Amino acid sequence: MSEEEKNVEEVEKKEEVVQETEEKPAEEEKPAEEKPAEEEKPAEEEKPKEEQQAPQEEEKPAEVESQKEEVKLVEEKKEQKKVNKAPTKRRPSLYEGFEENQQLFRPEFRFQNTDKSKEKIYELMDAYLPRDKLSIQKSIVQHIEYTLASTRFDINEGYIFQGTALSVRDRLLEQWNDTQLFIKMKNPKKIYYMSIEFLLGRLLQNALVNLKLEKCYTDALMDFGVKIEDIYDKENDPALGNGGLGRLAACYIDSMATLNLPAWGYGLRYDYGIFKQVIENFEQKELPDYWLTKGNPWEIMRLDTQFKVRFYGTVKEEYRNGKQCKVWKGGEEVQAVAYDTAVPGFNTFNCNTLRLWRAFPAEEFSFDDFNKGDYQKALRSRDQASYITSVLYPNDNTLSGKELRLKQEYFFSSATVQNVLRRWSRLNLPWKDFPKYNCIQLNDTHPTIALVELLRILIDDYQLDYKDAFDIVRRTFNYTNHTVLPEALEKWGVDIFERLLPRHLELIYLINYFFLEEVKKRYPGNGDKMMKLSIIEESMPKQIRMANLCIISSTKVNGVAAIHSGLLKTMLFKDFYEMWPEKFTNVTNGVTPRRWIHCAFPELSALLTEYNEGRDDWLSELDLLEEIPKKLDETNKWPEFIEKYKVAKSAAKKRLVEFVKKNCNIDIDESFMFDVMVKRIHEYKRQFMNCLYCIYRYNKIKSMSPEERKNVTKRVTFFGGKAAPGYALAKNVIKLINIVANVVNHDNDVSPYFKMIFLPDYKVSSAQIIIPAANINHQISTAGMEASGTSCMKFVMTGSLIIGTRDGANIEIAEKIGEDHLFYFGKNVNEVTQIRNELANGKRNYVGSRLQECFNAILNNKFGNTNFMHDYVKTLIDGGDYYLTCHDFYAYMEAQEKIDQEYKDQDKWIKKCVEAICRMGFFSSDRSIETYAKEIWHVDECEVPKPALTKDARSVSSSNLKSLGDE
Ligand code: NBG
């Protein structure tokens, strides 16, 4: 057993002991003085020398490339072992044993101060709302009339959506309230998932599926003469995220609820989500996405949960309780108000909370100014406060560096930390136990300032010593890194901090001081180490490196795929890894099969359920699908399955055909191979390389005789994705794609065999239509640059094969489904470094004639005016091939040709797709979250008891607590 595995085991054993204690109600608990120290050995002091050395010996720093490859393999194997240990459990279906029209009683909660005079109220709220068709219908129309004030003659699909959503929310609320009560009573360790983005997508279908109410609602709406799909379509996408990072957070809260974890998602409630993209004259135009036009039926504004957040001001020294301390005063204050959305788990009565903060002015407006007649001035501060949560910064994998963005980050962090502390303070437990009950996961560095905020409150408000306070912080926080791109790593000028958050800056210096003392001890006289590891970058102006602050101040740091976590250790955070190897770990990303298979591709979901003995439990235990191909082999039922699969895939493709007609007014044929590349536009993702291949394909078909063309595999290449408004090159790539597509699609020789479509405004709801329709999907980032990628998982789960590089999650997908189930090409991460070195040393002449021909088409404006790409093309040719567009092009072409050949044998192709789908169990976000829960958070599930058929059969939870208070 390796050292790391031993450590994991040890920690697990200790955790078991700790968790047992935590199960007891708060008051009974004996504060376990002995435990905390053991629980999370501060790595710095306690690791024996040999242990610290061992990993380095295995992994000798990056110079020797082949050894790095080995490191990664070791990492991947370790990961596999860990996760294979995860037990699978078959839960019965949610309402199993209950009839649709039976009254179901809610669990009973007894408090020390249960108020007898309220018996009547308790009794009235004893049972869950009924789930039969008529009751559902009544509840929808009641909301339409009594909540929305519509007359029965004005009812349209918009109202029906709202009424339906509100009636579903009622049902969610019961489970939500019960879950929150139950968690309060049990008082387990809680997990707080902080993410500045949550790209939720539409919520109605997801809620119905998780509650197992989709069938009831479908029937209920049928009587109103509407199809439920049309009602789903009425919902605006809450698009409070840019791309993979925000969508990951959304998948993760779904899985946390499904796994019954006592977890909260925390984020910001932006008035404007990611901009709406329209294409005009081939170019991207950005329009504001005011997603709240019709209100938001899901959210609940919590007027009882508000916190003040300060900016600017000064730091003063004061005496409090005879102790000298620092006080941050003055400046401006804004009010953070909580907006909650219920997050139901799949097939469980647990329902968690996503809490998003909205900024309001702390004081309504200045009466002074108002009385003097200066109305505008009076209102200005009001407006300024609300600007904080007006708009999501539309950058994916780049830093915006604006003061307002830092304000958003602090606003979000401060409100969340205050809320966590309020919940904690009701328990009356000693501070040193705080990390035993609370765990905060930072989804990238955006909420880093939260850890400084906690430190500030502990030191300044509660007068803890720095050492104790910092120890609490470090044991509470963990950090997930999502990128190795230098342009995305957050750094903030010391000057901005000094103005906006003066006290936090002092504390960051203090953290850095103590940390650098440790570095000095470990590496005496090594100025280079100090410089690299320091939180402060000694540039002009000085910068605060948020990632360094995170690593120093948290317990675990993880990457999001095996290769990425390997690169964090060997490259990006090499020096930290050398100091604290046990801090670094990997949790490969995952996606929720509820949204991405069941909701997005219902026909496939039904087929999988049919072949899983008629059970849909695979939706929360995705590994169960592995049995399907085995059984098809044994029973010789592949032909039968393949025929049914074709019918299902055809339905998905028809949806996309319709979507394209509606949104692009182009007719496409379902019988074509659908080749899809949808993601944010970025150089490292290499949409441009795909576009070059389209040019090549166009030229090739154009030059064929009609007879030769008959052999061509017919294909539509789809692109979709937004470019950050300030990212000129990315916008130019969109323009190029549209210009080329326009020629291709209007060419009568070529378009019967090949078409190109740019799908505008790619978002979660359109992803649910686009992804299941694909036969091939593009994951072609330069190796080493895509931390994970998650759409690759959704594509494979819905039956399309990857054309991709050895990068991100592609690598692990290939391991799980088999390398012959995807089309790998291109240089691996070590070769990329080598080629970049050669380029730096003057390597040229790497373009080759076929690629040159494609470049010429651009340089000669063959498709129209493409001047805007000329400089870029010239740079590529002239040694600027940083992303290896040219160096990977020929391998890419070969892979494309292989696809064309293999696609001709449809049955063989489909068999591969199905085998791949069924081997994707590892990529369920449930597995990711189980790994976080076990190995990073050390939290246990806290499952709400099932309902009962009679009052007496109800499960009772009692608590010594007098009052539970607000959330
Ligand atoms: C993105 C990566 C993706 C990854 C997601 C989720 C950022 C900073 N990173 O590869 O580019 O899948 O995070 O982990 O947005």
Side-chain angles (χ1 to χ4, degrees), residues 820-853:
D820 54 340
H821 285 57
L822 79 169
F823 300 90
Y824 248 161
F825 73 91
K827 305 284 186 261
N828 69 26
V829 62
N830 301 325
E831 293 164 332
V832 169
T833 317
Q834 204 182 320
I835 287 171
R836 282 182 183 158
N837 287 336
E838 289 169 12
L839 287 167
N841 291 329
K843 182 186 183 193
R844 297 293 178 269
N845 297 331
Y846 43 75
V847 171
S849 62
R850 282 176 294 174
L851 177 57
Q852 187 63 52
E853 211 179 291

Side-chain angles (χ1 to χ4, degrees), residues 9-10 54 158 186 192 313 333 376 432 508 624 636 641 721 760 775 780 799 888:
E9 285 226 335
E10 246 174 62
K186 286 275 161 185
Y192 298 108
E333 276 187 334
Q376 276 186 351
K432 67 175 176 45
I508 290 171
L624 290 172
N636 286 328
F641 190 93
N775 300 111
I780 58 174
D888 273 346

Side-chain angles (χ1 to χ4, degrees), residues 645-659:
Y645 177 88
K646 282 182 185 165
V647 175
K649 195 73 182 177
S650 156
K653 290 181 87 165
K654 283 199 177 81
R655 276 195 288 274
L656 182 56
V657 170
E658 230 175 80
F659 180 89

Side-chain angles (χ1 to χ4, degrees), residues 537-543:
E537 187 175 278
E538 298 294 335
S539 46
M540 284 288 282
K542 283 189 196 174
Q543 307 256 318

Side-chain angles (χ1 to χ4, degrees), residues 161-172:
F161 161 69
Q162 304 242 20
T164 305
L166 289 166
S167 80
V168 174
R169 194 184 77 174
D170 291 344
R171 285 154 175 81
L172 286 175

